[in-house]
Amino acid sequence: MSDTTDLRMPSADPASWTCPAPLREQSRVVMGHGGGGALSAELVRDLFAPAYGGEVLAQLGDAAALSLGGLRLAFSTDSFVVRPLFFPGGSIGDLAVNGTVNDLAMSGARASYLSCGFILEEGVELDTVARVADALGAAARAAGVEVATGDTKVVEAGHGDGIFINTAGIGLIPAGVDLRPQRVVPGDVVIVSGPIGVHGVAIMSVREGLEFGVEIESDCAALGELVDAMLAVTPDLHVLRDPTRGGLGAALNEIATASGTGVVITEREVPIPPAVANACAVLGLDPMYVANEGKLVAFVPRLYADAVLDAMRAHPLGTEARIIGEAVADHPGMVVARTGLGGTRVVDLPIGEQLPRIC
């Protein structure tokens, strides 16, 4: 796409596509409904949200911001169905803690307590369950959060995949912190905390037995302390998001849509490790849509951007943080990337997910 292309031109409507592309009108659940893209958004918007109702749910953030007894609480829940259970850099137990801790952190809250539900398939080895539980407990201690309650269910052999886990968490939102996409305004600077696409490629490498010359480890990590460092610069951050399912591309699109602003990123500034770029080239994937489990993207007022970036780089989980773009008034709801060749391309919301079962 050239620089003269009208960026307000609507993208193609996938509802008009024919097979083998996934159709938007579905009578049954498909894998894409869990992928963090357009199908996931439609499932929540058109099925779950009308059934549940409520102003809090309408926020549709990573965590719900609640007022209770004079306190502002963040509350979140997440389910983990990753395959395989153990992968370079982590396990389903690590994900179950860090995923929920990070959802709370994206509202500015430090997680205080978690619940944990295990769904075990008949026949799974107890040694495997113990390894996962030990990893989960170690991750909770590292994140400074207590597993306060839990539940266990067992399903018949063939009706699960070894171990599924659900965690829910609560934490306090500090005074003066209001993180939500509706606060994004043109001029905000977009910062990503480090290299993207690592988790999804790490999962794929062990799942498919692929070798890329170097071992790629998941970036699975708890981001609470990194967010604390950013908020110490200013509580006036506008929005944070951890780009898990659907990757950075989906997260930017969700923020652009909710805020009614456009987003422009510089493609060469997006940190993609060479091993991830090479793996994605072999697999035919776009790193922009590959999942992360230890990264965040922030929209920060320009006044504070340099100081926030310095604070991020001073933290171990943000040493490679980088400014990648800005929010703009043009093409509201659309994400555009400036390419290395001087042109532009639309970074659209994915329909489903390139790599299923990655978290």
Side-chain angles (χ1 to χ4, degrees):
M1 182 182 295
S2 69
D3 286 326
T4 59
T5 301
D6 184 0
L7 296 175
R8 294 168 295 181
M9 180 179 65
S11 57
D13 180 8
S16 65
W17 295 352
T18 58
C19 292
L23 299 179
R24 301 292 281 276
E25 295 296 332
Q26 296 282 349
S27 61
R28 299 178 184 273
V29 172
V30 297
M31 288 301 294
H33 281 118
L39 288 175
S40 292
E42 291 174 1
L43 185 67
V44 172
R45 183 191 67 226
D46 300 335
L47 192 153
F48 291 121
Y52 301 158
E55 295 181 2
V56 175
L57 180 64
Q59 300 171 16
L60 294 180
D62 287 337
L66 312 171
S67 295
L68 187 65
L71 299 175
R72 294 182 67 224
L73 298 176
F75 178 41
S76 184
T77 186
D78 206 345
S79 299
F80 300 87
V81 296
V82 64
R83 178 173 59 86
L85 298 176
F86 303 93
F87 46 84
S91 70
I92 191 172
D94 300 283
L95 285 176
V97 171
N98 295 337
T100 295
V101 165
N102 291 347
D103 283 346
L104 296 173
M106 297 307 104
S107 67
R110 282 298 295 272
S112 297
Y113 298 100
L114 295 180
S115 69
C116 179
F118 271 69
I119 299 175
L120 306 175
E121 183 183 16
E122 180 185 23
V124 66
E125 294 183 356
L126 287 175
D127 284 348
T128 300
V129 179
R131 286 181 62 196
V132 171
D134 287 344
L136 192 151
R141 289 187 291 273
V145 62
E146 181 178 349
V147 179
T149 187
D151 182 50
T152 304
K153 293 291 188 297
V154 177
V155 298
E156 297 88 345
H159 290 260
D161 199 4
I163 300 174
F164 295 155
I165 301 177
N166 173 271
T167 50
I170 57 172
L172 291 174
I173 301 175
V177 173
D178 183 17
L179 295 169
R180 49 193 173 89
Q182 292 78 11
R183 297 195 63 221
V184 172
V185 296
D188 281 357
V189 172
V190 182
I191 304 175
V192 67
S193 64
I196 66 167
V198 181
H199 175 73
V201 171
I203 294 293
M204 179 59 72
S205 66
V206 292
R207 183 185 296 172
E208 303 300 334
L210 302 175
E211 295 183 3
F212 302 112
V214 296
E215 183 176 72
I216 301 174
E217 291 193 354
S218 170
D219 59 350
C220 184
L223 298 171
E225 290 185 354
L226 176 61
V227 172
D228 286 348
M230 298 167 67
L231 291 173
V233 175
T234 175
D236 190 30
L237 305 180
H238 284 171
V239 69
L240 303 177
R241 190 63 57 91
D242 58 332
T244 53
R245 294 177 303 167
L248 180 61
L252 293 175
N253 271 278
E254 291 166 0
I255 293 170
T257 299
S259 65
T261 64
V263 176
V264 176
I265 62 173
T266 301
E267 202 167 52
R268 66 175 177 272
E269 294 300 327
V270 178
I272 302 172
V276 170
N278 293 338
C280 287
V282 170
L283 297 170
L285 305 177
D286 185 339
M288 287 291 293
Y289 301 116
V290 176
N292 312 271
E293 287 293 345
K295 300 297 185 297
L296 64 80
V297 59
F299 282 63
V300 180
R302 186 172 296 277
L303 174 65
Y304 305 115
D306 289 339
V308 169
L309 183 63
D310 288 343
M312 295 173 72
R313 287 176 170 172
H315 189 276
L317 294 179
T319 56
E320 298 181 72
R322 189 178 298 181
I323 293 173
I324 63 169
E326 63 179 339
V328 298
D330 296 335
H331 49 83
M334 182 178 290
V335 180
V336 173
R338 296 192 178 105
T339 69
L341 298 177
T344 57
R345 70 179 181 95
V346 174
V347 180
D348 211 349
L349 184 67
I351 301 301
E353 184 175 34
Q354 299 181 106
L355 302 174
R357 304 284 301 280
I358 45 74
C359 63

